[in-house]
Amino acid sequence: MEKVFKHSKQRDAILNLLKSVYSHPTADWLFTELKKDFPNISLATIYRNLNQLLEMGEIIKLDVGDGVEHFDSTTNEHCHFVCTNCHSVIDINVPSASLLKEDAQNLNNVLIDKCSVSFYGNCSNCK
């Protein structure tokens, strides 16, 4: 049975903010930005709504190795680039990403449901 979530202005605001940026923000960043329009919002509310959006399939969560969870409203499979200097996270277009998944399946005799590929290095501002 599918879980039904009550409508929430705060959850809508979180999703809209995530959709308006390409920076893959953290919960702390979202909290700081949303405090402007929702002065009484708590960090716990941000996390609760992020978890609901994850359950609903509206967003994905990224662990890019910096010890902080990042969130992305682009839910289709795509690759990320993580700058090891400034720690920015961006979507990158890699036309052969689906071939990588296919090769991994075929070479290892497994069925891959989803994949997450991140590249690390220096972004255009840091190089």
Side-chain angles (χ1 to χ4, degrees), residues 27-83:
D28 286 335
W29 185 89
L30 292 164
F31 173 67
T32 300
E33 290 300 308
L34 289 167
K35 263 312 240 183
K36 298 169 187 172
D37 293 324
F38 297 91
N40 295 324
I41 199 167
S42 69
L43 188 55
T45 298
I46 298 292
Y47 275 109
R48 183 175 57 256
N49 281 287
L50 286 169
N51 285 326
Q52 289 174 351
L53 289 166
L54 284 163
E55 279 187 60
M56 297 164 68
E58 295 287 330
I59 64 172
I60 58 174
K61 180 171 44 175
L62 303 169
D63 177 0
V64 297
D66 63 357
V68 184
E69 295 173 334
H70 295 259
F71 299 90
D72 189 351
S73 65
T74 304
T75 58
N76 63 321
E77 285 185 355
H78 60 285
C79 299
H80 295 98
F81 177 83
V82 182
C83 181

